[in-house]
Amino acid sequence: MSRDVLGLFVGMALAFAGWFGGFGAFLLVAALGALGFFAGHHLDRGGDVRDFLTPRERRGR
């Protein structure tokens, strides 16, 4: 799936959340979508979930 189509689906999901659920639902969908995006992006780069939980000093970076 191209990024354009994915962006279209995300925009439609946010629009439906805002229309039917109000502004609070819009913000919740946007925040959870951003969290999912960053987690997926991190895991695609070969990271591990444990990297989120350990301080940066202990990872040696």
Side-chain angles (χ1 to χ4, degrees):
M1 180 182 309
S2 70
R3 290 183 183 187
D4 297 337
V5 174
L6 184 62
L8 173 69
F9 287 143
V10 169
M12 288 174 60
L14 288 172
F16 280 119
W19 182 262
F20 293 112
F23 189 67
F26 172 80
L27 290 179
L28 179 66
V29 169
L32 291 176
L35 181 66
F37 170 77
F38 287 120
H41 180 71
H42 179 74
L43 293 175
D44 277 346
R45 292 186 301 152
D48 191 8
V49 176
R50 289 177 284 181
D51 291 341
F52 285 122
L53 303 176
T54 57
R56 184 169 284 173
E57 301 85 42
R58 295 184 69 199
R59 285 186 260 160
R61 293 181 189 174

